[in-house]
């Protein structure tokens, strides 16, 4: 029987690319969006879900269980970007970012785990980011929220191993999506001591996204993971330099690696 897949944040970008490919591979795909009515041309069914709302999470997952009886693969993709000098990012925006990028996926996992455990089978794929491994200026909060999800995934995989539930992370580098348009930007004024460097870094970030790789590559990787009997625990998706960056961070002296990052920004 076809596996039942749940993908959060599947109305555009990486989530949509994953959903389209898995749908073409004859999986039973359910995606989520805050407002599915905006995406009537979706190739797979989109359900309403706000990852920051426990009632919304319960309703969405209960609906899938009522129809399919199970969820075989959960792909936590929903997330939001945030940039700015840490000193100038309002506390409420830091909290909002962690709610979406960290607490939201955790609450969905908590809802899905009993379902998978009852079947003694399941796969959870958490989409993190290269930023979880390599911090860059003005993305401190985003890196922190994704790093938190990465480490929870690592430990959760050990907790769920006795129940034949695998937990995997996929960390994309720069991919061509609309994340820049939905990202929170700290409004640094010209009087700010960070103004010049932050403005320069922000333009660079946006250029990287615009020139990023095709999200379909993530879809192909997810398909490979789902069909693997023993998937790796962590995957990095991106260019050659993006894939080796975390290893360079470990191998190079800290000051040398930091200088390389600073030169880029």
């Amino acid at each position: 029987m076809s596996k039942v897949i749940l993908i959060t944040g599947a109305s555009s970008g990486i989530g949509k690319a994953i959903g389209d490919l898995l749908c073409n591979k004859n999986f039973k795909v359910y995606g989520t969006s805050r407002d599915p009515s905006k995406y009537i041309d979706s190739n797979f069914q989109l359900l309403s879900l706000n990852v920051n709302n426990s009632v919304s999470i319960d309703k969405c997952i209960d609906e899938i269980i009522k129809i399919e009886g199970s969820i075989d693969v959960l792909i936590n993709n929903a997330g939001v970007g945030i940039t700015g000098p840490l000193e100038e990012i309002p506390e409420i925006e830091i909290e909002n970012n962690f709610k979406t990028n960290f607490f939201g996926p955790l609450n969905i996992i908590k809802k899905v785990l009993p379902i998978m455990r009852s079947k003694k089978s399941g796969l959870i794929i958490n989409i993190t980011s290269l930023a979880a491994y390599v911090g860059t200026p003005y993305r401190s909060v985003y890196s922190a929220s994704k790093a938190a999800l990465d480490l929870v995934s690592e430990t959760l995989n050990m907790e769920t191993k006795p129940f034949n539930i695998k937990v995997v992370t996929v960390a994309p580098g720069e991919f061509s999506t609309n994340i820049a348009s939905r990202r929170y930007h700290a409004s640094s004024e010209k009087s700010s001591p960070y103004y010049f460097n932050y403005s320069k870094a922000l333009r660079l970030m946006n250029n990287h996204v615009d020139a990023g790789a095709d999200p379909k590559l993530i879809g192909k990787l997810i398909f490979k993971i789902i069909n693997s009997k023993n998937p790796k625990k962590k995957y990095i998706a991106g260019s050659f330099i993006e894939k080796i960056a975390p290893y360079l961070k470990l191998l190079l002296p800290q000051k040398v690696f930091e200088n390389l990052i600073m030169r880029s920004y």
Side-chain angles (χ1 to χ4, degrees):
M1 294 179 65
S2 296
K3 290 184 178 180
V4 180
I5 316 287
L6 170 59
I7 310 168
T8 66
S11 59
S12 63
I14 288 174
K16 183 178 186 303
I18 295 170
D20 285 342
L21 187 140
L22 295 182
C23 188
N24 290 335
K25 298 293 185 180
N26 296 319
F27 289 98
K28 295 180 180 179
V29 179
Y30 291 86
T32 74
S33 168
R34 288 194 177 195
D35 187 0
S37 64
K38 293 181 179 179
Y39 309 96
I40 57 175
D41 60 341
S42 176
N43 294 326
F44 48 90
Q45 186 170 353
L46 281 176
L47 302 177
S48 176
L49 174 67
N50 180 347
V51 300
N52 297 328
N53 186 300
S54 59
V55 174
S56 177
I57 291 173
D58 289 346
K59 183 178 179 181
C60 176
I61 294 175
D62 287 346
E63 184 174 350
I64 297 173
I65 297 304
K66 183 178 180 180
I67 298 170
E68 304 291 349
S70 69
I71 294 174
D72 300 299
V73 182
L74 165 64
I75 303 172
N76 272 314
N77 171 72
V80 291
I82 182 170
T83 67
L86 180 63
E87 184 181 346
E88 297 180 356
I89 301 176
E91 182 178 347
I92 186 64
E93 296 299 339
I94 296 174
E95 292 176 356
N96 287 339
N97 191 264
F98 267 80
K99 283 179 181 178
T100 300
N101 290 358
F102 181 63
F103 291 107
L106 261 56
N107 287 330
I108 295 171
I109 289 170
K110 287 183 176 182
K111 178 70 176 180
V112 168
L113 274 177
I115 300 165
M116 293 181 171
R117 196 170 59 250
S118 68
K119 292 187 62 180
K120 298 182 179 179
S121 176
L123 173 63
I124 297 171
I125 302 175
N126 291 324
I127 307 296
T128 59
S129 171
L130 179 63
Y133 302 125
V134 180
T136 55
Y138 310 112
R139 280 202 281 198
S140 57
V141 175
Y142 182 72
S143 288
S145 65
K146 289 297 187 176
L149 182 59
D150 177 77
L151 195 54
V152 162
S153 302
E154 182 179 310
T155 56
L156 179 62
N157 181 68
M158 291 183 272
E159 294 176 12
T160 59
K161 192 179 290 289
F163 312 112
N164 195 33
I165 299 171
K166 299 177 177 66
V167 184
V168 173
T169 60
V170 173
E174 301 291 358
F175 280 80
S176 181
T177 68
N178 63 351
I179 188 172
S181 64
R182 297 180 290 106
R183 184 195 291 144
Y184 172 82
H185 304 286
S187 55
S188 188
E189 303 295 334
K190 287 188 176 181
S191 59
S192 166
Y194 303 100
Y195 179 78
F196 176 78
N197 286 334
Y198 174 44
S199 299
K200 181 181 177 182
L202 189 56
R203 286 194 299 271
L204 189 63
M205 290 180 212
N206 292 339
N207 289 339
H208 284 169
V209 171
D210 292 340
D214 191 332
K216 290 179 182 178
L217 295 174
I218 301 290
K220 292 178 180 179
L221 175 58
I222 296 296
F223 178 67
K224 176 183 175 182
I225 293 170
I226 291 174
N227 284 283
S228 174
K229 288 184 178 180
N230 294 296
K232 295 190 297 183
K233 306 312 170 203
K234 299 174 187 283
Y235 294 82
I236 297 175
S239 65
F240 173 74
I241 190 64
E242 287 174 328
K243 289 180 179 180
I244 67 169
Y247 301 101
L248 290 177
K249 183 179 180 180
L250 293 174
L251 293 172
L252 294 175
Q254 291 181 5
K255 288 184 178 180
V256 173
F257 187 79
E258 184 179 87
N259 286 337
L260 290 174
I261 296 294
M262 294 292 288
R263 285 181 189 178
S264 299
Y265 282 82

